[in-house]
């Protein structure tokens, strides 16, 4: 059997894969089993921050694998301590808990919020309020947090203690009961929800309401984090200070790593044995993440902003394009044709794109070379035009 047949025979069919096997790559270009090359405008859903098989990233991993690949959290290892220091110094948050995925990073954020609220405001204060159209993960608790009913349907009963309000609905925000609300959790830009940025006013209103009522503000930076929006974390574009930040996807550049950053209110909330993870803080993943974070400096972030402006300018008002949304290199293009048709044409023409709801979604590597980005934009623009329908 070839790979596609093996996959169909033995892998649970939860993914509707494109009929392409990716065998290798370098930077923002990947190659399939026939040798055909593609520009990668999805980077593994915002994971391969510096592209495929990046040299600096590879070296950091190989160096660490040659020393120790895993020791469990019963012993000290340098990479996770160094990474935690970097994350705290760059954000002002105080402590980090490491896990392996976005869902786990959110799970930890929710546990921290519940414990803080129970300790401070009593056992009836546990509700975590999230936004409609949000996405926070696939575990039963993070599904409950996810404000999209269609993800819930097959898996009820979900974890209780969640409520949802509409994005931008400041009246619903003010009507929340602070006595029973432990936290409000937001994505500054709803990624899976269709690359929908929240307004400055709404994010500010959420942050203010949380502060006034001693309710924790959790920002889910799983997709928006680690340089994606032109700042290290998306909340930094909004001038707010979260109490808890969760991140994953691009953090380790392609190895599995989640992190939950705890601010002043929650830094002491967990004690020995209150939470844990076998693989969380794995030294190879953390060494990879250190190599990524060291490179996300002001210069790189400004490049992300410049490339973002280029893409916005290219697609805004282009033939077949209705609107462009997003921030930094997290971009949604509402096309007149169905987004899946545009993505299919792009793939035939050698560009890999994602969709998010009814939009074409672009999440290229942060360091995609300008000429590669321009070539991809040419192909995507052509694919949006009506005559290709
Ligand atoms: C992808 C994503 C998650 C889930 O991350 P996993 O690593 O798949 O568990 C959570 N929140 C947001 C905003 C995401 O984009």
């Amino acid at each position: 059997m070839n790979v596609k047949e093996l996959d169909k025979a033995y892998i649970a069919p939860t993914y509707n894969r494109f009929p392409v096997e990716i065998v290798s790559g370098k930077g923002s270009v990947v190659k399939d089993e026939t040798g055909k090359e593609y520009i990668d405008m999805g980077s593994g859903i915002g994971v391969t921050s510096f592209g495929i098989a990046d040299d600096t990233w590879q070296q950091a991993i190989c160096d660490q694998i040659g020393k120790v690949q895993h020791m469990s959290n019963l012993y000290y290892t340098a990479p996770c301590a160094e990474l935690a220091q970097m994350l705290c110094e760059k954000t002002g948050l105080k402590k980090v808990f490491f896990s392996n995925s976005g869902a786990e990073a959110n799970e930890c954020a929710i546990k921290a919020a519940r414990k803080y609220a129970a300790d401070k405001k009593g056992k009836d204060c546990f509700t975590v309020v999230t936004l409609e159209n949000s996405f926070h993960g696939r575990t039963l608790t993070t599904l409950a947090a996810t404000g999209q009913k269609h993800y819930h349907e097959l898996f009820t009963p979900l974890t209780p203690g969640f409520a949802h309000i509409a994005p931008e609905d400041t009246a619903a925000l003010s009507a929340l009961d602070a006595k029973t609300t432990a936290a409000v959790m937001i994505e500054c830009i709803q990624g899976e929800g269709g690359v929908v940025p929240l307004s400055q006013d709404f994010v500010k209103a959420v942050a203010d309401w949380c502060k006034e009522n001693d309710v924790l503000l959790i920002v889910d930076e799983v997709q928006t984090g680690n340089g994606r929006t032109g700042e290290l974390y998306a909340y930094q574009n909004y001038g707010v200070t979260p109490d808890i930040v969760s991140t994953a996807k691009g953090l380790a550049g392609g190895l599995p790593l989640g992190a939950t950053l705890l601010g002043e209110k929650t830094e002491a909330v967990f004690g020995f044995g209150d939470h844990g993870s076998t693989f969380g803080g794995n030294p190879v993943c953390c060494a990879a993440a250190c190599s990524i974070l060291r490179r996300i400096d002001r210069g790189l972030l400004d490049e992300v902003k410049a490339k973002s402006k280029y893409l916005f300018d290219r697609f805004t008002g282009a033939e077949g394009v209705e609107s462009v949304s997003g921030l930094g290199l997290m971009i949604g293009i509402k096309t007149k044709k169905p987004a899946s048709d545009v993505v299919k044409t792009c793939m035939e023409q050698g560009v890999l794109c994602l969709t998010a709801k009814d939009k074409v979604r672009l999440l290229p590597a942060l360091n995609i070379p300008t000429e590669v980005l321009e070539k991809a934009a040419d192909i995507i623009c052509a694919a949006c035009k009506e005559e290709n329908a």
Side-chain angles (χ1 to χ4, degrees):
M1 282 197 268
N2 67 29
V3 170
K4 287 172 203 168
E5 290 162 350
L6 273 178
D7 186 301
K8 284 204 168 67
Y10 294 112
I11 292 190
T14 62
Y15 303 108
N16 186 13
R17 299 194 207 279
F18 290 105
V20 167
E21 179 197 345
I22 301 300
V23 295
S24 64
K26 192 75 192 170
S28 286
V29 178
V30 295
K31 221 184 256 188
D32 75 7
E33 77 281 18
T34 69
K36 178 176 169 180
E37 290 191 339
Y38 304 83
I39 299 173
D40 181 10
M41 293 295 283
S43 47
I45 318 188
V47 167
T48 50
S49 306
F50 286 86
I52 303 292
D54 173 77
D55 290 332
T56 309
W57 175 84
Q58 260 191 76
Q59 194 58 54
I61 290 166
C62 291
D63 288 350
Q64 185 58 43
I65 277 189
K67 290 178 192 158
V68 54
Q69 80 276 33
H70 180 80
M71 265 315 289
S72 87
N73 283 305
L74 300 175
Y75 306 93
Y76 293 98
T77 51
C80 77
E82 285 163 14
L83 177 60
Q85 178 189 22
M86 234 188 294
L87 286 168
C88 290
E89 286 182 355
K90 284 173 183 281
T91 61
L93 281 85
K94 301 294 179 194
K95 293 276 196 295
V96 183
F97 180 87
F98 288 115
S99 55
N100 313 285
S101 67
E104 284 174 276
N106 285 334
E107 192 89 21
C108 174
I110 293 161
K111 284 178 78 171
R114 279 198 175 179
K115 181 146 189 306
Y116 174 82
D119 291 349
K120 189 99 187 279
K121 292 157 87 181
K123 65 172 174 34
D124 293 330
C125 184
F126 55 77
T127 301
V128 173
V129 175
T130 70
L131 299 184
E132 288 166 10
N133 195 47
S134 60
F135 183 85
H136 298 294
R138 300 285 202 151
T139 63
L140 286 171
T141 296
T142 55
L143 267 186
T146 293
Q148 302 188 55
K149 288 231 159 43
H150 70 99
Y151 286 111
H152 296 174
E153 277 155 8
L154 303 173
F155 304 106
T156 53
L158 302 175
T159 307
F162 288 88
H164 309 286
I165 61 172
E168 310 301 329
D169 189 346
T170 44
L173 175 72
S174 317
L176 292 174
D177 179 4
K179 284 197 276 307
T180 57
T181 305
V184 179
M185 177 154 82
I186 60 169
E187 300 156 89
C188 290
I189 302 158
Q190 296 186 325
E192 301 306 308
V195 196
V196 185
L198 299 181
S199 71
Q200 292 276 343
D201 287 350
F202 184 69
V203 173
K204 186 81 179 24
V206 171
D208 288 348
W209 185 84
C210 285
K211 198 166 180 201
E212 279 157 26
N213 293 287
D214 193 13
V215 169
L216 299 173
L217 172 61
I218 305 174
V219 180
D220 178 343
E221 294 269 4
V222 172
Q223 189 162 155
T224 52
N226 311 301
R228 179 57 49 193
T229 67
E231 294 295 336
L232 183 59
Y233 292 104
Y235 74 79
Q236 294 166 330
N237 294 290
Y238 287 82
V240 298
T241 309
D243 297 297
I244 303 178
V245 173
S246 57
T247 191
K249 287 194 169 86
L251 177 60
L255 291 185
L257 183 65
T260 309
L261 282 56
L262 305 169
E264 263 164 29
K265 286 187 175 181
T266 51
E267 66 169 314
V269 87
F270 290 132
F272 293 139
D274 286 346
H275 197 39
S277 165
T278 299
F279 284 117
N282 170 277
V284 179
C285 299
C286 287
C290 285
S291 90
I292 297 288
L293 279 193
R294 273 191 207 105
R295 292 157 82 188
I296 305 180
D297 57 11
R298 193 70 259 165
L300 181 95
L301 293 170
D302 287 344
E303 263 179 55
V304 167
K305 288 183 179 176
K307 287 169 191 167
S308 177
K309 182 175 183 308
Y310 169 78
L311 289 174
F312 268 89
D313 289 348
R314 269 311 288 272
F315 290 111
T316 306
E319 199 183 329
V321 172
E322 279 179 9
S323 60
V324 189
S325 64
L327 200 58
L329 287 175
M330 178 173 181
I331 289 183
I333 305 169
K334 175 89 185 72
T335 51
K336 296 201 170 114
K337 290 200 267 184
S340 56
D341 290 359
V342 175
V343 168
K344 188 164 174 277
T345 307
C346 286
M347 177 172 267
E348 286 160 9
Q349 300 298 315
V351 176
L352 302 181
C353 301
L354 303 164
T355 58
K357 289 276 171 76
D358 59 351
K359 291 180 185 164
V360 176
R361 174 173 43 159
L362 307 180
L363 297 168
L366 305 179
N367 67 340
I368 184 169
T370 305
E371 61 280 10
V372 178
L373 188 69
E374 289 174 1
K375 191 172 164 204
D378 289 343
I379 290 169
I380 299 164
C381 268
C384 292
K385 288 185 186 163
E386 311 284 5
E387 68 259 31
N388 288 305

Coordinates of all heavy atoms in Angstrom, one line a residue, residues 45 47 100-106 134-139 142 146 186-187 189-192 220-224 246 248-249 257 330 361, ligand 1:
I45 N -0.6 25.4 10.0 CA -1.5 26.2 10.8 C -0.8 27.1 11.9 O -1.0 27.0 13.1 CB -2.7 25.3 11.5 CG1 -3.2 24.3 10.5 CG2 -3.8 26.3 12.0 CD1 -4.4 23.5 11.0
V47 N 2.4 27.1 12.8 CA 3.3 26.4 13.7 C 4.8 26.6 13.3 O 5.6 26.9 14.2 CB 2.9 24.9 13.7 CG1 4.0 24.1 14.4 CG2 1.6 24.7 14.4
N100 N 1.7 20.6 26.2 CA 2.1 20.1 24.9 C 1.2 20.6 23.7 O 1.5 20.2 22.6 CB 2.0 18.5 24.9 CG 2.7 18.0 26.1 OD1 3.9 17.9 26.2 ND2 1.9 17.5 27.0
S101 N 0.2 21.4 24.0 CA -0.7 21.8 23.0 C -1.5 23.0 23.4 O -1.4 23.4 24.6 CB -1.7 20.6 22.6 OG -2.5 20.4 23.8
G102 N -2.2 23.5 22.5 CA -3.0 24.7 22.7 C -4.2 24.4 23.7 O -4.4 25.1 24.6
A103 N -4.8 23.2 23.5 CA -5.9 22.8 24.3 C -5.4 22.7 25.8 O -6.1 23.1 26.7 CB -6.6 21.5 23.8
E104 N -4.3 22.1 25.9 CA -3.7 21.9 27.3 C -3.4 23.2 27.9 O -3.5 23.4 29.1 CB -2.5 21.0 27.2 CG -2.8 19.5 27.1 CD -1.5 18.7 26.9 OE1 -1.0 18.7 25.7 OE2 -1.0 18.2 27.9
A105 N -2.8 24.1 27.1 CA -2.5 25.4 27.7 C -3.7 26.1 28.2 O -3.7 26.8 29.2 CB -1.8 26.3 26.6
N106 N -4.8 26.0 27.4 CA -6.1 26.6 27.9 C -6.7 25.9 29.1 O -7.2 26.5 30.0 CB -7.1 26.6 26.7 CG -6.8 27.7 25.7 OD1 -6.2 28.7 26.0 ND2 -7.2 27.5 24.4
S134 N -15.8 31.6 19.1 CA -14.4 31.4 19.5 C -14.0 30.0 19.3 O -14.8 29.1 19.0 CB -14.2 31.7 21.0 OG -15.1 30.9 21.8
F135 N -12.7 29.7 19.4 CA -12.2 28.3 19.3 C -11.1 28.2 20.4 O -10.1 29.0 20.4 CB -11.6 28.0 18.0 CG -11.1 26.6 17.9 CD1 -12.0 25.5 17.6 CD2 -9.8 26.2 18.2 CE1 -11.6 24.2 17.6 CE2 -9.4 24.9 18.1 CZ -10.3 23.9 17.9
H136 N -11.2 27.3 21.3 CA -10.2 27.1 22.4 C -9.7 25.7 22.5 O -8.9 25.5 23.4 CB -10.8 27.6 23.7 CG -11.2 29.0 23.7 ND1 -10.2 30.0 23.6 CD2 -12.4 29.7 23.7 CE1 -10.8 31.2 23.6 NE2 -12.1 31.0 23.7
G137 N -10.1 24.8 21.6 CA -9.5 23.4 21.7 C -10.6 22.3 21.6 O -11.8 22.6 21.6
R138 N -10.1 21.1 21.7 CA -10.9 19.9 21.4 C -11.1 19.0 22.6 O -11.8 17.9 22.5 CB -10.3 19.1 20.3 CG -10.1 19.8 19.0 CD -11.5 20.0 18.3 NE -11.2 20.2 16.9 CZ -12.1 19.9 15.9 NH1 -13.2 19.3 16.2 NH2 -11.8 20.1 14.6
T139 N -10.5 19.3 23.7 CA -10.8 18.4 24.9 C -12.2 18.8 25.4 O -12.7 19.8 25.0 CB -9.8 18.7 26.0 OG1 -9.9 20.1 26.5 CG2 -8.3 18.5 25.6
T142 N -12.2 22.3 26.9 CA -11.9 23.5 26.0 C -13.0 23.5 24.9 O -13.2 24.6 24.3 CB -10.5 23.4 25.4 OG1 -10.3 22.1 24.8 CG2 -9.4 23.6 26.4
T146 N -15.2 26.6 23.8 CA -15.4 27.0 22.4 C -16.8 27.5 22.2 O -17.7 26.7 22.4 CB -15.0 25.9 21.5 OG1 -13.6 25.6 21.7 CG2 -15.3 26.1 20.1
I186 N -10.6 35.4 25.9 CA -10.8 35.9 24.5 C -9.6 35.5 23.7 O -8.5 35.3 24.1 CB -11.0 37.4 24.5 CG1 -9.7 38.1 25.1 CG2 -12.2 37.9 25.2 CD1 -9.7 39.6 24.9
E187 N -9.9 35.4 22.4 CA -8.8 35.5 21.3 C -8.9 36.9 20.8 O -10.0 37.3 20.4 CB -9.1 34.5 20.2 CG -9.2 33.1 20.4 CD -10.1 32.4 19.3 OE1 -9.5 32.0 18.3 OE2 -11.3 32.3 19.5
I189 N -7.8 37.9 18.0 CA -8.3 37.7 16.7 C -8.8 36.3 16.6 O -8.0 35.3 16.9 CB -7.2 37.9 15.7 CG1 -6.6 39.3 15.8 CG2 -7.7 37.7 14.2 CD1 -5.2 39.4 15.2
Q190 N -10.1 36.1 16.4 CA -10.7 34.8 16.3 C -10.1 34.1 15.1 O -10.4 34.5 13.9 CB -12.2 34.8 16.3 CG -12.7 35.4 17.6 CD -14.2 35.4 17.7 OE1 -14.9 35.5 16.7 NE2 -14.7 35.2 19.0
G191 N -9.3 33.1 15.2 CA -8.7 32.4 14.1 C -9.5 31.5 13.4 O -10.0 31.7 12.3
E192 N -9.8 30.3 14.1 CA -10.7 29.3 13.5 C -12.1 29.9 13.1 O -12.8 29.5 12.2 CB -10.9 28.1 14.4 CG -9.6 27.4 14.8 CD -8.7 27.0 13.6 OE1 -9.3 26.3 12.7 OE2 -7.6 27.4 13.5
D220 N -6.2 33.9 25.0 CA -5.8 32.7 24.2 C -5.0 33.1 23.0 O -5.5 33.7 22.1 CB -7.0 31.9 23.8 CG -6.7 30.7 23.0 OD1 -5.5 30.6 22.5 OD2 -7.6 29.8 22.8
E221 N -3.7 33.0 23.2 CA -2.7 33.4 22.1 C -2.1 32.1 21.4 O -1.0 32.2 20.9 CB -1.5 34.2 22.8 CG -2.0 35.5 23.4 CD -1.9 36.7 22.4 OE1 -1.5 36.5 21.2 OE2 -2.1 37.8 22.8
V222 N -2.9 31.1 21.4 CA -2.4 29.9 20.8 C -2.1 30.1 19.3 O -1.0 29.7 18.8 CB -3.4 28.7 20.9 CG1 -3.0 27.5 20.2 CG2 -3.6 28.3 22.4
Q223 N -3.0 30.8 18.6 CA -2.8 31.0 17.2 C -2.1 32.4 16.9 O -1.3 32.6 16.0 CB -4.1 30.9 16.4 CG -3.9 31.0 14.9 CD -5.2 30.4 14.2 OE1 -5.4 30.8 13.0 NE2 -5.9 29.6 14.7
T224 N -2.5 33.4 17.7 CA -2.1 34.8 17.5 C -0.7 35.1 18.1 O -0.1 36.1 17.8 CB -3.1 35.8 18.2 OG1 -3.2 35.4 19.5 CG2 -4.4 35.7 17.5
S246 N -2.3 32.0 27.3 CA -2.0 30.7 26.8 C -1.5 30.7 25.4 O -1.9 31.6 24.6 CB -3.3 29.8 26.8 OG -4.3 30.4 26.0
A248 N 0.7 28.3 22.1 CA 1.2 26.9 21.7 C 1.7 27.1 20.2 O 2.8 27.6 20.0 CB 0.2 25.9 21.8
K249 N 0.9 26.6 19.3 CA 1.2 26.6 17.9 C 2.6 27.0 17.5 O 3.5 26.1 17.3 CB 0.1 27.4 17.1 CG -1.2 26.6 17.0 CD -2.2 27.2 16.0 CE -3.4 26.3 15.7 NZ -4.5 26.5 16.6
L257 N 4.5 22.1 21.9 CA 4.8 22.7 23.2 C 3.6 23.7 23.5 O 3.3 24.5 22.6 CB 6.1 23.5 23.2 CG 6.5 24.2 24.5 CD1 6.8 23.2 25.6 CD2 7.8 25.0 24.2
M330 N -1.4 37.0 9.9 CA -2.6 36.2 10.1 C -3.8 36.9 9.4 O -4.3 37.9 9.8 CB -2.9 36.2 11.6 CG -4.1 35.4 12.0 SD -4.2 35.3 13.8 CE -5.7 34.4 14.0
R361 N -7.5 31.7 4.4 CA -6.6 32.1 5.6 C -5.2 31.9 5.2 O -4.8 30.9 4.8 CB -7.0 31.3 6.8 CG -6.1 31.6 8.0 CD -6.6 31.0 9.3 NE -7.0 29.6 9.2 CZ -7.1 28.8 10.2 NH1 -6.7 29.2 11.4 NH2 -7.6 27.6 10.0
Ligands
LIG1 C1 -5.4 25.8 17.5 C2 -6.0 26.5 18.6 C3 -6.3 25.9 19.9 C4 -6.0 24.4 20.1 O1 -4.7 24.1 20.0 P1 -4.2 22.5 19.9 O2 -2.8 22.6 19.9 O3 -4.8 22.0 18.6 O4 -4.8 21.8 21.0 C5 -6.7 26.6 20.9 N1 -7.0 28.0 20.7 C6 -6.8 28.6 19.6 C7 -7.1 30.1 19.5 C8 -6.3 27.9 18.5 O5 -6.1 28.5 17.3

